[in-house]
Amino acid sequence: MLDSAAGPSAAASRGGAQPAHHLQRGRGRAARLLVDADHLRDRPGVGHVRDVLLRAAEQQLITTATDLAGIAIERRQAEEALRESEERFSKAFHANPAPLSISRLADGRFLDVNTAFLRLTGYEREDVIGRTSVELRLIGTVEREALVDRLRRTGAIPNLEFVVRHRDGGSRDVVVSLVSCDLGGDACVLGIFQDVTHRNQAEEALRTRERQLLLAQQIARMGSWEWDIRTGVVSWSDELCRILGVDPRTVHPSYEGFVDLVHPDDRRHVRETIDRAASDGQPFLFDFRACRPDGAVRILHCRGEVICDAASRPVRMFGTDQDVTELRLADEQLRLSQQKLRNLTAYQLEVREEERARIAREIHDVLGQTLTALKLDVSSLREMVARREPSADGRLQEIAGLLDTAIKDVRRLASELRPVVLDQLGLPAAVEWLSGDFQRRTGIDCRVRSSLPDTTLPADVSTGLFRILQEALTNVARHSGANRVEVTLQQASRIVYLEVTDNGKGLPEAAHAGQGSLGILGMRERALLLGGFIELKGETGKGTKLTAWVPLK
């Protein structure tokens, strides 16, 4: 009885074949008990035994029926659980965002695919189920045969990369993992796909940008670098390695290795600049010389930035080094060329001033004396002729007047070429004379304020400032429309200042840059030759102020 009571649960735990055998044995035992009871029916004195047999047979039938009911319930529960499991698997399979497929290993026909797989291939479900990947032209025959052979040998193929042909004629780059499995006795293949087309395109775009960056660095002769301050790891771009003359395949970049390549005369400045940036986190900019292993010296322009953490501590530094050797050499050559041009201009001005002085002396000493002597002779002649012919006297007077005019013109020309007062009395007196002459010729009120100490200025400074004043007054007369000019001449420390201020219409904006007038350019060049410079300030309707600074050597 105990065995019978435990039968259903035991049968359920042993599987489908054992419960059926147990029920068959129970029914056979009940039948034997009924047969035995039937044989004892007509025998006297055995009624009690017959009743016992009948009750045992009845109990066995009840037990058997109970077992049958339990087995039916368990089978129904198992079928329901299996159905629910299949539904969950189907939902998970078809809702999975990754493309999935199940196909038979033998012939490769698809048994099931999910929606993501259909999007990957471009086919409808009815076009896929029952057909092979070769028929759908997803992969080639040779490719499939190689995959099947490998699956039979290994049972799984992880992370296989190949190209899937899309229905629209395009292609998709995929990574697939294939796993062999047994479904209902059939050897099948579960395929898990990952579309990596966009990833590959992004990687290719990244490689393209890296090539473009490398090309741009080569064109600009600019290399990049990065330094992790916390770990000390340093990286150099290939172009920076080329600039420094090292092989990027064998070099091991480091901060000290970089400093070793810096010219000995520049190392202290470079190290101080970078160490200061690594301490305060500020960007930096400097030029230095690098000594390549082959002995060549290059001039590099370094620019760096610093990245700090949340606590404002510098943690990473990156920047660029540009090879500006040719540019610096070109700048130096241009500077030397400009200096030579200025030297030539100075020489020409000096020669011209000497020539003007020589001509002025010649006119004054030779021509002036000749004309004076001529005048004396004419005067003597006039006295002699006056006694004989009265009409000759008027004629000789006219000649004398012409000679006086010629003498005045000679003196005026000599003063314009090189005023004698500049050489004999100095710059302040020459400024007074030039201002008075300007006022007489133009009618513009010209006032002079001079506070130079009793020192003799160098000849080149006096001449340069005098010529600047000449040009400034000429510009006032021609362009300003002013009726008053103030000239100030003073000295502070070792610098001489010349200021010319008018109340005219103001200097045009274009002339502030010194490009609108050759006269302004000439004044700037004269000041530069003396080591000084010119400043022009003008405001419309309020006049213009010119200031010249010239240092005394």
Side-chain angles (χ1 to χ4, degrees), residues 185-438:
D186 286 340
C188 297
V189 180
L190 172 64
I192 305 172
F193 298 81
Q194 181 184 3
D195 189 349
V196 294
T197 304
H198 296 299
R199 186 194 71 182
N200 290 349
Q201 291 174 348
E203 290 176 350
E204 180 60 29
L206 178 60
R207 288 190 292 269
T208 300
R209 286 194 294 270
E210 289 176 347
R211 290 193 296 270
Q212 292 173 345
L213 176 60
L214 179 59
L215 180 60
Q217 288 187 350
Q218 291 176 350
I219 295 174
R221 297 184 178 180
M222 178 185 295
S224 59
W225 52 268
E226 186 172 349
W227 177 28
D228 191 322
I229 301 176
R230 294 173 297 184
T231 63
V233 176
V234 177
S235 62
W236 297 343
S237 69
D238 290 349
E239 180 61 17
L240 180 57
C241 291
R242 188 197 65 78
I243 293 173
L244 296 177
V246 296
D247 190 345
R249 297 169 297 181
T250 59
V251 70
H252 299 286
S254 66
Y255 177 45
E256 293 300 329
F258 164 74
V259 174
D260 289 341
L261 292 172
V262 177
H263 193 281
D265 294 342
D266 298 340
R267 284 178 187 170
R268 180 178 178 181
H269 172 66
V270 170
R271 189 183 289 274
E272 289 178 352
T273 302
I274 296 178
D275 290 348
R276 183 171 57 252
S279 175
D280 58 24
Q282 296 300 313
F284 55 88
L285 182 70
F286 62 89
D287 288 354
F288 69 97
R289 290 168 293 174
C291 298
R292 294 161 52 115
D294 59 7
V297 177
R298 309 298 295 178
I299 303 175
L300 304 186
H301 178 71
C302 180
R303 181 188 299 270
E305 297 286 342
V306 183
I307 301 298
C308 299
D309 59 12
S312 299
R313 292 188 299 266
V315 295
R316 189 166 62 91
M317 190 182 298
F318 63 94
T320 59
D321 286 344
Q322 185 177 13
D323 188 348
V324 294
T325 306
E326 285 73 18
L327 180 61
R328 292 293 183 268
L329 292 176
D331 289 343
E332 181 64 18
Q333 291 176 355
L334 178 60
R335 188 189 67 79
L336 293 176
S337 176
Q338 291 175 339
Q339 185 61 43
K340 291 179 180 179
L341 179 61
R342 287 196 176 103
N343 292 340
L344 177 60
T345 303
Y347 174 74
Q348 290 177 339
L349 291 176
E350 182 181 354
V351 170
R352 186 168 61 185
E353 290 297 335
E354 291 179 355
E355 184 66 14
R356 285 180 173 179
R358 186 189 65 80
I359 294 175
R361 287 194 299 271
E362 291 290 332
I363 292 177
H364 181 273
D365 297 341
V366 178
L367 183 59
Q369 291 181 6
T370 301
L371 292 175
T372 301
L374 179 61
K375 179 180 178 181
L376 294 175
D377 292 342
V378 170
S379 297
S380 176
L381 178 63
R382 180 171 60 85
E383 292 178 358
M384 294 172 61
V385 174
R387 292 190 296 268
R388 299 178 181 179
E389 187 177 353
S391 61
D393 184 71
R395 181 60 179 170
L396 290 175
Q397 288 183 356
E398 292 178 1
I399 294 174
L402 291 175
L403 290 175
D404 288 338
T405 302
I407 294 173
K408 291 180 180 179
D409 289 339
V410 168
R411 290 175 178 174
R412 178 180 59 80
L413 291 174
S415 296
E416 290 178 354
L417 288 173
R418 178 76 179 184
V420 177
V421 66
L422 180 63
D423 295 327
Q424 295 180 351
L425 302 179
L427 181 62
V431 169
E432 290 281 357
W433 172 81
L434 182 61
S435 300
D437 182 70
F438 172 80

Side-chain angles (χ1 to χ4, degrees), residues 499-545:
E499 293 182 359
V500 181
T501 306
D502 65 65
N503 64 346
K505 58 185 179 181
L507 188 70
E509 187 66 24
H512 279 272
Q515 302 297 327
S517 170
L518 291 177
I520 294 177
L521 291 176
M523 289 189 289
R524 290 187 187 277
E525 193 64 21
R526 282 186 179 274
L528 287 173
L529 288 173
L530 296 173
F533 61 97
I534 295 289
E535 183 182 42
L536 285 168
K537 292 182 179 180
E539 187 174 352
T540 303
K542 295 185 178 181
T544 303
K545 179 180 179 181

Side-chain angles (χ1 to χ4, degrees), residues 136-174:
L136 296 175
R137 302 183 64 184
L138 299 178
I139 61 174
T141 304
V142 177
E143 292 174 304
R144 183 186 179 281
E145 291 178 352
L147 292 177
V148 171
D149 180 67
R150 184 175 173 184
L151 268 175
R152 285 173 175 168
R153 287 186 288 104
T154 62
I157 304 177
N159 299 327
L160 177 67
E161 294 190 19
F162 67 97
V163 178
V164 170
R165 300 180 182 89
H166 196 270
R167 187 176 188 178
D168 61 7
S171 61
R172 300 290 187 273
D173 298 330
V174 298

Side-chain angles (χ1 to χ4, degrees), residues 96-98 114-123 166 172 195:
N96 198 304
N114 65 354
T115 305
F117 181 89
L118 299 176
R119 287 197 300 268
L120 175 65
T121 60
Y123 285 95
H166 196 270
R172 300 290 187 273
D195 189 349

